[in-house]
Structures are given as C-alpha cells and as structure tokens.
Amino acid sequence: MSAPGRRQIDVVFSADEIARRVEEIAADIARREGRELFVIVVLKGSFVFAADLIRALDRAGVEARVDFITLSSYGKESASSGEVRLARDVSDDVRGRSVMIVDDILDTGRTLRFARDLMIDRGAATVRTCVLLDKPSNRVVDIAADHVGFTVGNQFVVGYGLDLGHLYRGLSYIGVLRQP
Ligand code: IMP
Ligand code: MG
C-alpha cells in the first residue's frame, strides 16, 4: 500500500482562486450558451469541479440537467495509456439537447474528443466543452475546450477532484507533489 505520511504539496491554485474562477466560468456559460443545458460530467476526476459548477450555473440562471459518464484512459500511474474506454454510460438520451461536457483537465485531448464525438454521433443538438484545467503542452489530439478555467504547464497536478492513484481528490486546492 502507500507509504506512510503524506507527500508535500505546493499550491498552484488556492481554494479561493478556484471558487472565483468557477463563478466566472458559470457567468460566461450563461452568457454564451443556452439557458437550458444537459451537463455531462466526465467521471471520476471532475466530480468536485462539477459539484461547484452546477451550483454556480444555477446562480447564473442556467437550468442544468446533470448526468454522468465514466471514461478512463489512465491506469493507476500518471502516464496516459492512449486508449479511452467507456466504463459507464449516461442514463439519458442526448438527442436534440444542448450538451455541455464537463471535465477536470484537458491533457492529451483523447478523453474530451472521445466524449464529444460520442455525443455528436448520438445526435445532440450542440456539444460544447468545459474544463477546469488546460494543459496545452501535452496535446496529442487536435481539440480545444470552449470554456477553460486555468491553463497549467506540463506538470502533474492533484487536488479538487484530480488524483494520483485515487489519492488527493479531497484537497480543496490544486497543487503539485514535491519530489519525495
Ligand atoms: P487526456 O485524455 O489525456 O486529455 O486526459 C484527461 C484525463 O487524464 C483527465 O480527465 C484526468 O483524469 C487525467 N489527467 C491528465 N493530466 C492530469 C494531471 O495533471 N493530474 C491528474 N489527472 C490528470
Ligand atoms: Mg478524468
């Protein structure tokens, strides 16, 4: 199992910075997108961000229907396997709906492209994307998100839903692990 004690973490985005940015993203979505959205949360990493975002969207006057999809491209280590797998599907029909896909971080781009193409194939009226973090330096697939919280460099970040081997998701901030 994991080593005793917690590794030290340097804060990249504080809880306050994240909270402010989430309100801004929601206001931007309310301005640029429809007032009725079918929000599809990509599990697992984005559940914390999505929980805050849907409440901010409600405050901003957006009526969100929320569903979840589980996609996996990572094993327990921090390197991408390159393959995206649909582990659990949404339970509702997306046909004719204004879909907003919500993910934690846009890294190689494979996950978001997989999710977006799936919803387009299924006949969604529009498919927009929102990510808390964008790591453009690591992109393999040509895709950009419509709404981005913060841009990060080529570093592995944890916290606020983001994990390393399912650890650190509960941090209220986003940070980087110090080398042990
Ligand atoms: P992509 O398919 O390579 O864009 O990977 C997206 C997924 O990889 C995200 O939803 C995360 O779950 C995971 N991921 C990518 N970079 C990081 C990171 O820095 N920290 C934690 N998870 C990451
Ligand atoms: Mg993820």
Side-chain angles (χ1 to χ4, degrees), residues 123-144:
T126 57
V127 181
R128 311 284 267 167
T129 53
C130 174
V131 296
L132 179 63
L133 303 175
D134 186 10
K135 203 193 279 188
S137 56
N138 222 20
R139 200 79 86 251
V140 171
V141 164
D142 184 28
I143 188 169

Side-chain angles (χ1 to χ4, degrees), residues 161-177:
L162 292 139
D163 73 304
L164 176 62
H166 300 298
L167 278 174
Y168 308 107
R169 292 196 199 273
L171 303 179
S172 55
Y173 56 89
I174 290 167
V176 286
L177 296 165

Side-chain angles (χ1 to χ4, degrees), residues 3 6 34 54 59 62 88 92 100 118 133 155 173-174:
R6 205 178 220 204
I54 60 170
R59 288 191 287 274
V62 175
R88 182 198 169 276
D92 230 347
M100 175 65 68
L118 188 64
L133 303 175
Q155 53 193 5
Y173 56 89
I174 290 167

Side-chain angles (χ1 to χ4, degrees), residues 42-46 71-74 77-78 80-84 102-114 131 133 135 138-141 143 152-159 161-165 169 174-176:
V42 180
L43 295 175
K44 304 173 186 157
S46 58
L71 300 178
S72 56
S73 64
Y74 275 74
E77 301 305 327
S78 55
S80 176
S81 66
E83 191 192 315
V84 180
V102 174
D103 206 356
D104 52 358
I105 182 165
L106 179 53
D107 185 29
T108 64
R110 290 187 182 107
T111 304
L112 200 63
R113 194 181 63 175
F114 181 95
V131 296
L133 303 175
K135 203 193 279 188
N138 222 20
R139 200 79 86 251
V140 171
V141 164
I143 188 169
V152 290
N154 193 12
Q155 53 193 5
F156 196 82
V157 289
V158 296
L162 292 139
D163 73 304
L164 176 62
R169 292 196 199 273
I174 290 167
V176 286

Side-chain angles (χ1 to χ4, degrees), residues 24-38:
E24 290 172 359
I25 296 168
D28 199 39
I29 289 174
R31 209 166 30 240
R32 288 168 50 197
E33 317 295 348
R35 292 280 162 158
E36 275 179 41
L37 292 178
F38 189 25

Side-chain angles (χ1 to χ4, degrees), residues 1-7:
M1 292 308 289
S2 57
R6 205 178 220 204
R7 281 168 67 180

